[in-house]
Amino acid sequence: MRKLPVSFYARPDVLQIARELLGQVLVTRIRGKVTAGRIVETEAYKAFTDKASHAYGGRRTARNEDMYGPAGISYVYLCYGMHHMMNVVTNVKDVPEAVLIRALEPLEGAAEMAKRCAKRETDKTLSRGPGNVTRAMAVEKSHSGIRLNSDVLFIAEGISPAQSDIGVSKRIGVDYAGSDALLPYRFFIRGNACVSGPRLLNK
DNA sequence: CAGTGGATCGTCT
DNA sequence: GACGATCCACTGG
């Protein structure tokens, strides 16, 4: 499996990157366990003008500092006091753009994922939804800011879906962002059972 | 399947 | 002191 080159992330169009991340493979090797999943759902967060982004208006704090880092690193933060969210940082240093990994289709280590998620059996819900992605892959805040071609956490080249199999919708859970909540920044593989979100959005 | 409400805590005002 | 880039259990159809 070939790791995606930094040049993949270092491009200026975060929407295009979010779209092209579909089908790629997220891999972690944590505490001796390898788990991998095919990315089936993403969301883009744009720099400066995007009210749904942590970096809206250029806001820069200790929490979101990694969003301002160079392309190809992770940005992981805690949400609702209990869920970690994992993002892929894109563009160039000091331009805070990122892609949230919202769902994976388990490819390897599904039994381990189930154990981490306190489930008896492997099923489609293991890594469906951003909180479940990090739980299944054992990603947490300590993994923020690391390069996505490291041995611990990386993204490998997968099989991209056909353009006609890519769905687009508004993002989930960002209603506080006013009109920006309606932007078509969410991408998913149509018909894939591991995609999260209300059915209505997944056409 | 859709809608609702509780859990839970780091971060920023 | 308030609020999340969420999840799950539970309700009612």
Side-chain angles (χ1 to χ4, degrees):
Chain A
M1 268 206 168
R2 216 175 81 101
K3 292 173 183 175
L4 292 181
V6 175
S7 58
F8 176 90
Y9 309 100
R11 293 175 289 160
D13 188 349
V14 68
L15 298 176
Q16 182 65 18
I17 295 169
R19 183 183 282 268
E20 292 181 15
L21 275 169
L22 295 176
Q24 316 293 357
V25 180
L26 178 64
V27 184
T28 64
R29 182 178 187 167
I30 293 170
R31 290 185 286 278
K33 305 285 187 183
V34 174
T35 48
R38 182 171 187 241
I39 297 171
V40 298
E41 181 184 354
T42 61
E43 275 178 4
Y45 287 84
K46 249 178 121 76
F48 307 119
T49 59
D50 182 0
K51 282 188 184 149
S53 171
H54 290 166
Y56 168 60
R59 204 164 64 93
R60 187 166 185 162
T61 66
R63 176 178 68 152
N64 69 11
E65 180 61 27
D66 287 331
M67 278 191 90
Y68 289 83
I73 66 171
S74 62
Y75 167 48
V76 184
Y77 67 93
L78 184 67
C79 188
Y80 290 97
M82 59 186 93
H83 302 295
H84 292 279
M85 305 281 120
M86 181 188 160
N87 297 260
V88 169
V89 175
T90 69
N91 214 311
V92 297
K93 188 177 181 312
D94 294 324
V95 177
E97 302 199 320
V99 177
L100 173 67
I101 308 298
R102 287 196 55 91
L104 305 174
E105 178 182 332
L107 290 182
E108 189 182 334
E112 176 64 20
M113 293 187 198
K115 194 193 285 183
R116 289 166 178 165
C117 295
K119 300 209 168 166
R120 300 194 166 186
E121 304 187 3
T122 66
D123 63 35
K124 305 296 183 191
T125 72
L126 279 185
S127 47
R128 181 166 76 187
N132 290 328
V133 166
T134 54
R135 186 153 66 141
M137 303 292 283
V139 170
E140 46 190 281
K141 215 167 106 176
S142 61
H143 299 112
S144 192
I146 70 181
R147 300 210 319 263
L148 291 169
N149 57 9
S150 72
D151 290 329
V152 174
L153 172 63
F154 64 90
I155 298 179
E157 212 168 89
I159 298 170
S160 299
Q163 285 298 312
S164 58
D165 286 332
I166 297 178
V168 183
S169 82
K170 65 176 187 176
R171 293 170 293 185
I172 293 177
V174 296
D175 290 343
Y176 59 85
S179 57
D180 286 354
L182 301 176
L183 294 169
Y185 286 4
R186 172 174 175 263
F187 303 89
F188 57 93
I189 298 182
R190 280 205 178 101
N192 189 291
C194 299
V195 173
S196 76
R199 178 164 285 238
L200 225 154
L201 280 185
N202 292 342
K203 298 285 180 190

